[in-house]
Amino acid sequence: MASDTPRLVFIKTFGCQMNVYDSGKMLAQLAHDGFEPTDEWRRADLVIVNTCSVREKPQLKVSSFLGPILQRKRDTGRPMVAVAGCVAQHDGAEFFRRYPAIDLVFGPDGVPRVRELVRAARQRRVLDDQFLEVADYPFVQDLVPSAQREVTGLVTIQKGCDNHCTYCIVPSARGVQVSRPLEQIIEEVRGLAVRGTRDFTLIGQNVNAYGAERGGRSRFAELLEAVHAIPEVWRLRFTTSHPRDMDPATIAAWSRLPRLASHLHLPVQSGSDAVLRRMGRQYTRAHYLDVVAELRRVRPEISLTTDFIIGFPGETRDDFEQSLALLEQVRFMASFSFKYSPRPGTAATRLHDREPVSAEEASDRLRVLQEVQQRIQQESNLACVGRCFEVLVEQPSRHDPNQWMGRTSCFRAVNFPAAPSMAGELVQVRITQANPHSLQGEVVA
Ligand code: 5AD
Ligand code: SF4
């Protein structure tokens, strides 16, 4: 175990935006103990691997990532190694059995206590897989230390999830839903605004159910209104939404709140009612399509993105065809599709009466769905050529230092030549070229 005082911390983040946010909050708190972030794990005194268990693939990546770090730890006694997040919550002490060189294991609820956990782990191995008391859940208010301006920012509005989708491991990794008090959310938005953030994404596992735990009524539309009232909020986004909880008040927000971004990520998972029922999604295909129609009525230019799970137990060829048909009907701007991955302890693993879909068949269906999506995406990107969009300038392009990347309100990524002084500004960009995953453009006066 490390005997010197750790100073540099490296955090590797797998998984969703909740994990990205949690990693930021860990850095923010560890800064009070003199830790500074580094992006090279070899220099770090403390390495935290923030894990994801949503599918098997990200879970497997954790092991391969840990390999060389633990080797170094065995050879040199450094760095201190912590495993955090959803896999840590599930596998707990199993990590110590598999990897004796690990110092600290804690789940998502350990994030607010990361300082004391790290301190304790300097004396002895620490496992923390407790869920915190629901009352007074200590959402972390410290802001991530940042030397540069971050034009976009995440703000958590809830933790955990009260849904019971039969494929999903999240409720058992993150516990029941707890909504963050509105004043704390506003305070965080204001704090980020002072540092130049202008594009805000409210995050949670089921944001539409904000405030609705323990039988309460959703206060999500009120929350949107309150955040939107802050002048520096040039763009307001949120994720993830549940189609069942897209209530009229939330949908109406797109007509009332002009700076609510023209984009919504609304995971559908399947286009077949039979599959949706077995997934425990609590809505029908018709309901989903009604929500889409309503959204497009109140904000015609809204772009939609979604998630699909392919090869859920018992998914027939016909069920799959219905997902394809829904894809064609809605014409999503992007869709993320995953092969069903059985997660330990979830209800779907006990759907014994259902034929599992063979791995080969699932891969085949996934490929077909992704090809259709690709075509739709290309057509919709091509339709943007020649049009002008308001773009918020975010950061230099990863591929070309002379180009900058920004996003439209509808969440399309656009690359264009720009001066660094334009960072954080809204500019008009004419689209000159469509690529499969981004657009190329030029700033117009
Ligand atoms: N198998 C495959 N995909 C899953 N997702 C969640 N759980 C599983 C699973 N067991 C997908 C869903 C969700 C996205 C974040 O991950 O599509 O919307
Ligand atoms: Fe992965 Fe879900 Fe945990 Fe996010 S909440 S890291 S998606 S398992």
Side-chain angles (χ1 to χ4, degrees):
M1 197 153 298
S3 58
D4 53 335
T5 309
R7 282 270 158 252
L8 289 177
V9 52
F10 173 90
I11 305 191
K12 172 73 183 174
T13 308
F14 293 96
C16 64
Q17 286 179 318
M18 302 299 289
N19 266 16
V20 173
Y21 182 86
D22 284 349
S23 291
K25 288 298 185 183
M26 288 195 268
L27 284 180
Q29 292 174 90
L30 289 167
H32 295 295
D33 290 336
F35 278 102
E36 287 171 16
T38 169
D39 45 21
E40 289 171 61
W41 73 259
R42 281 184 177 78
R43 293 182 58 215
D45 303 286
L46 167 64
V47 171
I48 303 179
V49 186
N50 198 2
T51 62
C52 171
S53 57
V54 74
R55 290 174 296 276
E56 197 185 8
K57 235 189 206 166
Q59 186 159 351
L60 292 175
K61 282 190 202 160
V62 171
S63 310
S64 50
F65 186 78
L66 277 171
I69 298 170
L70 292 175
Q71 183 61 51
R72 187 185 176 90
K73 169 81 182 220
R74 284 189 295 269
D75 293 346
T76 67
R78 291 177 70 237
M80 179 188 281
V81 182
V83 181
C86 297
V87 186
Q89 181 66 41
H90 277 280
D91 292 0
E94 177 59 27
F95 267 105
F96 294 135
R97 274 191 288 277
R98 247 184 294 155
Y99 309 106
I102 289 177
D103 302 285
L104 168 61
V105 175
F106 60 103
D109 272 14
V111 169
R113 287 171 294 125
V114 65
R115 292 173 68 187
E116 59 183 272
L117 293 172
V118 167
R119 267 190 236 133
R122 297 180 64 205
Q123 315 302 327
R124 60 188 159 81
R125 261 187 189 171
V126 175
L127 166 68
D128 184 290
D129 56 1
Q130 302 295 306
F131 284 119
L132 294 184
E133 279 291 311
V134 167
D136 298 328
Y137 181 85
F139 288 95
V140 178
Q141 288 295 129
D142 303 78
L143 292 181
V144 186
S146 173
Q148 71 225 35
R149 177 176 182 185
E150 306 272 350
V151 179
T152 61
L154 305 173
V155 177
T156 197
I157 67 164
Q158 71 197 169
K159 76 135 212 144
C161 180
D162 287 346
N163 284 331
H164 301 282
C165 301
T166 57
Y167 51 81
C168 188
I169 200 162
V170 173
S172 67
R174 289 193 172 256
V176 296
Q177 178 178 312
V178 185
S179 296
R180 187 179 193 185
L182 191 126
E183 317 76 65
Q184 289 184 18
I185 298 170
I186 298 294
E187 184 190 321
E188 184 149 315
V189 170
R190 286 194 202 283
L192 290 171
V194 166
R195 302 155 142 216
T197 300
R198 295 292 177 264
D199 183 315
F200 293 85
T201 304
L202 307 180
I203 59 169
Q205 298 300 339
N206 182 12
V207 290
N208 316 114
Y210 174 74
E213 55 261 33
R214 286 166 279 163
R217 185 179 59 84
S218 167
R219 293 172 55 216
F220 186 58
E222 287 161 51
L223 171 67
L224 285 179
E225 192 118 16
V227 176
H228 186 275
I230 299 171
E232 292 87 353
V233 178
W234 291 356
R235 282 182 181 164
L236 178 55
R237 310 177 184 279
F238 53 85
T239 196
T240 296
S241 297
H242 193 296
R244 182 205 55 206
D245 297 321
M246 285 300 294
D247 59 347
T250 302
I251 295 175
W254 272 279
S255 69
R256 280 183 297 129
L257 309 177
R259 288 173 288 121
L260 186 58
S262 297
H263 169 240
L264 176 66
H265 182 64
L266 193 61
V268 65
Q269 314 299 3
S270 170
S272 150
D273 282 342
V275 175
L276 287 173
R277 201 174 326 111
R278 290 203 303 281
M279 287 178 166
R281 290 289 284 172
Q282 303 177 65
Y283 57 84
T284 58
R285 172 196 180 92
H287 172 80
Y288 188 91
L289 291 173
D290 281 349
V291 170
V292 168
E294 249 330 87
L295 287 165
R296 287 182 167 160
R297 193 181 62 76
V298 298
R299 182 68 72 85
E301 69 274 27
I302 198 165
S303 71
L304 299 169
T305 54
T306 200
D307 294 339
F308 280 98
I309 295 177
I310 303 302
F312 189 75
E315 181 191 75
T316 62
R317 191 72 214 173
D318 182 58
D319 291 322
F320 171 65
E321 299 282 341
Q322 292 185 48
S323 290
L324 273 185
L326 187 127
L327 188 70
E328 293 273 12
Q329 191 173 343
V330 178
R331 292 183 66 83
F332 295 99
M333 182 179 77
S335 79
F336 305 90
S337 38
F338 312 98
K339 254 194 283 182
Y340 168 67
S341 169
R343 305 315 294 134
T346 55
T349 58
R350 297 187 292 274
L351 289 172
H352 295 304
D353 55 329
R354 299 292 159 178
E355 272 292 297
V357 178
S358 74
E360 218 182 349
E361 178 65 22
S363 301
D364 214 44
R365 290 179 191 176
L366 188 70
R367 185 181 46 76
V368 171
L369 189 110
Q370 290 180 343
E371 279 170 8
V372 172
Q373 176 61 36
Q374 196 66 23
R375 171 178 52 74
I376 293 171
Q377 222 155 295
Q378 264 162 11
E379 288 167 2
S380 107
N381 280 356
L382 272 175
C384 293
V385 175
R387 288 178 57 195
C388 275
F389 289 90
E390 189 176 58
V391 170
L392 181 61
V393 186
E394 285 185 18
Q395 59 195 34
S397 155
R398 261 178 293 162
H399 309 293
D400 179 350
N402 300 314
Q403 301 262 322
W404 281 68
M405 192 284 284
R407 281 187 193 272
T408 64
S409 170
C410 56
F411 209 56
R412 291 175 190 278
V414 187
N415 292 298
F416 49 94
S421 60
M422 288 180 182
E425 297 297 318
L426 284 168
V427 294
Q428 290 292 323
V429 174
R430 181 182 297 112
I431 307 304
T432 52
Q433 194 187 317
N435 308 319
H437 297 288
S438 67
L439 300 168
Q440 178 68 39
E442 60 194 13
V443 176
V444 291

